[in-house]
Amino acid sequence: MDDNAIQCAEPDERRAVPGPDAAEESGIAVTFRPLAPGMRRLLFTASVLVLLAGIQLFVFTGQTSHFFAFTIANPLAAAFLGAAYWAAVPIEALAGRQALWANARIAVPAVLVFTVLTLAVTLTHLGQLHLGSQHPAGTQIVTVAWIAIYVLVPALMLILLVVQARTPGTDPPRTAGLPAWLYAVLAAQAIVLLGLGIALFAAPAQAASLWPWRLTPMMAQATGAWLIALGVAAAHALAERDARRLRPAAAGSILLAAALAVALARYPHQFAWRSASGIAYLIFLATMLLTGAVGLARGLPRSGR
């Protein structure tokens, strides 16, 4: 067995490793697949990048014309994106800290889907980006960096996924199942997020009316990219069926719900509180907080077990 994988693993993971007697009886040495070093570095790097993007959008919400790659007129729309970026910080950072691939991979498909879709939005609306001499040099640098990041990150992630797939080992057994009702909520989240996200991304002008605040076509597609990525994460959680593998995503769900609540408190007049979409949005935030809290609590290591 890989000594590094055993040393980095948590106590429960160490106990899951078959002992020498079991290996002799079965004749098979079991090795759990570790998280590849390159993937670990990419996840940590991505966590820093989304932290910075969150600062640009959630802190300097009204100054996107200077500090972001494109101008977002509606501050609630900018704060929503900033909250989503900040929610990605624990997802990627906690995934990068895992010793085993099984406990880290919840972050990867969602990040890959989001970066590819955001690159498509960027290229589709290239004319709205802060490029050209009419913009300050610093703003142009931020914009060029934005484009470079969304070209390089998905390309690197695809390469590292191949490397990760070739890393020898298997998954540890599932030891922390989730209650049946939580699977049902996750399934509903996946359906709603993917359905609404695809609608906003594919038909932004028509689907924008389904959202509880005003969206331009570009912002509708950018929002749709996030919803699709979150829907992929919810569907992935259903496939994993183990709370210990979902801890990064659970922490992200809690932070996302909290940050979006703060965004609503900052810009209440931008939100359609009495609309059907507004009520559905608030209910959805509550379900994300609930699933994140339950998933995180059930996935934490149990002392004395």
Side-chain angles (χ1 to χ4, degrees), residues 50-116:
V50 293
L51 173 65
L52 295 175
I55 292 172
Q56 292 171 300
L57 292 164
F58 204 83
V59 177
F60 300 104
T61 308
Q63 303 177 58
T64 54
S65 60
H66 298 289
F67 297 118
F68 198 58
F70 51 90
T71 300
I72 304 174
N74 187 334
L76 183 54
F80 173 87
L81 295 187
Y85 276 109
W86 269 355
V89 174
I91 297 175
E92 294 168 348
L94 292 177
R97 292 187 69 250
Q98 302 303 311
L100 304 181
W101 167 239
N103 294 341
R105 64 185 171 212
I106 186 66
V108 176
V111 171
L112 179 59
V113 167
F114 170 73
T115 52
V116 170

Side-chain angles (χ1 to χ4, degrees), residues 35 92 96 139 175 193 235 255 266-267:
L35 179 63
E92 294 168 348
T139 307
T175 58
L193 287 166
L255 181 55
R266 288 173 66 190
Y267 306 107

Side-chain angles (χ1 to χ4, degrees), residues 141-184:
I141 291 172
V142 168
T143 305
V144 171
W146 169 275
I147 297 171
I149 287 167
Y150 283 100
V151 170
L152 291 175
V153 169
L156 289 172
M157 188 160 281
L158 285 171
I159 294 170
L160 290 170
L161 272 173
V162 174
V163 174
Q164 184 68 66
R166 293 178 176 177
T167 302
T170 188
D171 291 344
R174 293 179 172 86
T175 58
L178 297 170
W181 66 265
L182 190 58
Y183 290 120

